[in-house]
Amino acid sequence: MIIKKVFFFSAIEKIQGDYFEFGVFTGSSFCHAIRCAKSNIKYDLGLRKTNFYGFDSFEGFGDLPSHDKHDFFQNKNFEANYNKVIKRIKKLLPESKFLIVKGFFKNTLNKKPESNLARIIFIDCDTYSSTELALNYIRKSLQVGTIIILDDYFAYKGMENKGVYGAFKMFTKNHKLNTRELFSYGIGGVVKIFTKI
């Protein structure tokens, strides 16, 4: 899985900071990230200090604006049990090392991040508006070397002004940020690294 590659790369490059995931759903990728961090401590002891932050409504998308409408991105396809997710994570990590923030992004991403630096960011929230909120929230935690995983990069028929790609393109342009592509994965996922902040 791509998260395994990303954690290995971050370890050998000694990229410091925390893990952020926007769109936790059932917690599968979040738990996998924890396992990958643990398996790479032998390459980077700094991973022992890494904290894990996840954000999700656990109720789907809520009311989407017209430009975010998509046949697949429906609430019924993305509802998950918050309590089961927390229970799953607790089997891998003490509560002091992770935080799952429950709620719609428009209500929860209005404060600065808990962390000073982001090592890895996983954007798996599908729509333009959610991605825009996530990126603006994490902006001050970016550093040269921060890795960002962008899922559903080619959704909305690949249109450049919609979805994850549209929001990421506008974000990097507005803030004059430079990235390079590290990997691609699955059916439409892309991993980039920030090279200029």
Side-chain angles (χ1 to χ4, degrees):
M1 191 174 180
I2 196 64
I3 292 175
K4 183 177 180 180
K5 286 185 178 181
V6 166
F7 266 96
F8 175 72
F9 182 88
S10 79
I12 62 173
E13 288 292 325
K14 302 292 188 291
I15 300 166
Q16 300 303 301
D18 294 331
Y19 175 84
F20 293 83
E21 184 168 308
F22 298 91
V24 176
F25 195 32
T26 61
S28 293
S29 56
F30 196 88
C31 289
H32 185 55
I34 294 167
R35 293 187 195 98
C36 290
K38 289 180 177 181
S39 68
N40 281 288
I41 287 174
K42 58 189 173 185
Y43 303 115
D44 179 13
L45 295 178
L47 279 165
R48 290 177 175 167
K49 298 178 181 178
T50 296
N51 295 308
F52 294 78
Y53 300 95
F55 305 83
D56 202 301
S57 71
F58 299 95
E59 298 176 21
F61 300 96
D63 295 324
L64 289 175
S66 58
H67 67 272
D68 277 338
K69 299 290 186 184
H70 189 287
D71 287 344
F72 184 69
F73 300 150
Q74 305 287 329
N75 289 334
K76 63 183 180 181
N77 294 330
F78 292 92
E79 294 175 346
N81 187 306
Y82 168 79
N83 292 322
K84 285 184 178 178
V85 171
I86 295 297
K87 186 177 179 180
R88 189 175 182 183
I89 298 168
K90 283 181 179 179
K91 292 178 181 178
L92 299 172
L93 206 62
E95 288 186 74
S96 61
K97 296 293 291 178
F98 78 88
L99 175 66
I100 300 295
V101 179
K102 183 181 185 297
F104 292 109
F105 288 0
K106 65 182 179 181
N107 300 321
T108 59
L109 299 184
N110 49 18
K111 295 185 292 184
K112 69 177 183 177
E114 299 289 329
S115 168
N116 290 325
L117 293 175
R119 173 190 287 260
I120 296 166
I121 304 162
F122 189 3
I123 301 287
D124 193 11
C125 46
D126 308 316
T127 67
Y128 185 107
S129 56
S130 293
T131 301
E132 181 181 40
L133 288 167
L135 292 171
N136 286 332
Y137 175 83
I138 206 71
R139 166 70 183 94
K140 292 183 179 179
S141 293
L142 297 177
Q143 61 181 314
V144 171
T146 292
I147 300 166
I148 187 163
I149 305 168
L150 299 158
D151 209 52
D152 299 301
Y153 196 69
F154 298 97
Y156 296 90
K157 299 181 175 71
M159 288 189 284
E160 295 192 2
N161 63 337
K162 286 185 172 284
V164 171
Y165 175 77
F168 184 74
K169 179 183 176 184
M170 189 59 64
F171 175 75
T172 53
K173 179 182 178 182
N174 289 344
H175 294 286
K176 297 180 172 60
L177 306 173
N178 291 348
T179 63
R180 292 178 64 192
E181 186 171 326
L182 279 178
F183 315 107
S184 60
Y185 68 96
I187 48 171
V190 173
V191 181
K192 294 178 179 282
I193 185 168
F194 284 90
T195 57
K196 179 187 174 185
I197 303 300

